[in-house]
């Protein structure tokens, strides 16, 4: 087997692994629908432990440069995060008279089994833990690792589109068609942005920070209508 064939095989293996993790988790989220704590634990296993085990089996290290945090870059990351928060919340303010966000939140809360009493815990988990799990799988594995064996264009496209489709699978029944299309486009664009900031700086903290602050904004909007 030539070096090119080995690289292509490894790229296909990464793509198959990430896709399988997403399909399995989508089944858990939309069909099995266990309690939120159980679902969160399953996601940690599927999105974090499974890739780590697969990488170890293949003799690949997923840590090192991806988790190096430059202390001087913390202020820049926070500035980027607050900017993302502002953009998303501004978008909400500009469109709140066009869409019924209250009905959307009600439907989403019912789908996720979230109420006012459980919201704080769920918001904390989504913003900090869930964002990390998704960045680990979609950025570190589906983008950074894949780009080592496939073209950068392929890694960008695969990770961002799968990121969007996975989330649409989670919220599809809650969104009206217009918002669903906007969400798909927005999530794909968001995935590309996450890829870009990690590609430029070589650390997972960049996309994780952006993802966290995007979730902070979404949780703020959710809180306003729950």
């Amino acid at each position: 087997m030539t070096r090119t064939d080995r690289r292509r095989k490894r790229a296909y293996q990464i793509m198959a692994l990430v896709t399988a993790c997403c399909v399995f988790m989508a089944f858990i989220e939309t069909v099995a629908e266990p309690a939120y704590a159980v679902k969160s634990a399953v996601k940690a296993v599927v999105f974090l432990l499974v890739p780590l085990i697969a990488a170890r089996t293949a003799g690949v290290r997923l840590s090192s440069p991806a988790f190096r945090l430059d202390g001087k870059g913390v202020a820049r990351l926070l500035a980027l995060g607050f900017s993302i928060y502002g953009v998303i919340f501004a978008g909400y303010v500009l469109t709140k008279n066009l869409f019924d966000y209250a009905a959307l939140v009600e439907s989403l809360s019912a789908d996720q089994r979230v109420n006012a009493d459980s919201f704080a815990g769920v918001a904390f988990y989504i913003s900090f833990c869930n964002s990390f799990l998704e960045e680990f799988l979609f950025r570190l594995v589906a983008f950074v690792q894949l780009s080592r064996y496939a073209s950068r264009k392929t890694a960008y496209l695969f990770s961002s589109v799968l990121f969007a489709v996975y989330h649409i699978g989670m919220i599809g029944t809650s969104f009206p068609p217009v918002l669903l299309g906007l969400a798909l486009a927005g999530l794909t664009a968001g995935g590309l942005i996450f890829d870009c900031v990690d590609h430029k700086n070589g650390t997972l903290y960049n996309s994780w920070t952006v993802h966290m602050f995007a979730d902070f904004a979404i949780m703020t909007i959710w809180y306003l209508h729950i």
Side-chain angles (χ1 to χ4, degrees):
M1 183 181 293
T2 66
R3 184 171 179 232
T4 299
D5 290 335
R6 287 195 297 271
R7 287 172 59 85
R8 184 181 297 112
K9 180 180 179 181
R10 181 60 60 84
Y12 288 152
Q13 289 174 336
I14 292 173
M15 295 169 77
L17 172 66
V18 175
T19 301
C21 289
C22 290
V23 170
F24 180 81
M25 200 60 220
F27 171 81
I28 295 297
E29 295 252 13
T30 61
V31 180
E33 296 186 321
Y36 201 91
V38 174
K39 180 173 62 177
S40 301
V42 172
K43 189 166 187 175
V45 171
V46 175
F47 274 34
L48 181 63
L49 292 184
V50 169
L52 283 173
I53 293 172
R56 185 176 181 82
T57 301
V60 176
R61 294 187 64 183
L62 293 179
S63 56
S64 225
F67 295 100
R68 290 176 185 164
L69 180 61
D70 179 7
K72 296 180 180 179
V74 173
R76 178 184 52 79
L77 285 175
L78 291 176
L80 177 61
F82 279 113
S83 298
I84 293 296
Y85 182 97
V87 168
I88 293 176
F89 196 77
Y92 159 71
V93 172
L94 292 172
T95 60
K96 65 180 181 179
N97 293 326
L98 300 176
F99 300 108
D100 188 355
Y101 283 98
L104 177 60
V105 166
E106 182 179 355
S107 177
L108 191 59
S109 297
D111 285 347
Q112 298 299 317
R113 300 179 185 178
V114 177
N115 54 42
D117 293 331
S118 62
F119 177 78
V122 171
F124 178 89
Y125 166 78
I126 289 176
S127 298
F128 291 96
C129 304
N130 185 70
S131 60
F132 174 78
L133 293 175
E134 293 187 357
E135 288 311 299
F136 185 89
L137 183 71
F138 291 110
R139 241 53 61 190
L140 183 58
V141 180
F143 176 68
V144 175
Q145 289 297 318
L146 181 60
S147 64
R148 295 179 179 177
Y149 306 101
S151 69
R152 185 76 66 177
K153 181 179 179 180
T154 296
Y156 267 109
L157 186 64
F158 175 74
S159 59
S160 60
V161 171
L162 192 62
F163 175 75
V165 171
Y166 167 75
H167 283 85
I168 290 300
M170 303 301 100
I171 63 177
T173 58
S174 301
F175 277 49
V178 175
L179 273 183
L180 191 63
L182 290 174
L184 181 60
L187 285 164
T188 302
L192 289 171
I193 292 172
F194 295 159
D195 289 342
C196 187
V197 295
D198 279 350
H199 170 219
K200 183 178 180 180
N201 297 285
T203 171
L204 195 64
Y205 290 112
N206 294 291
S207 60
W208 186 22
T209 299
V210 175
H211 197 151
M212 273 195 293
F213 277 85
D215 283 343
F216 290 158
I218 293 171
M219 293 303 104
T220 300
I221 297 168
W222 195 343
Y223 177 75
L224 292 175
H225 293 283
I226 195 166

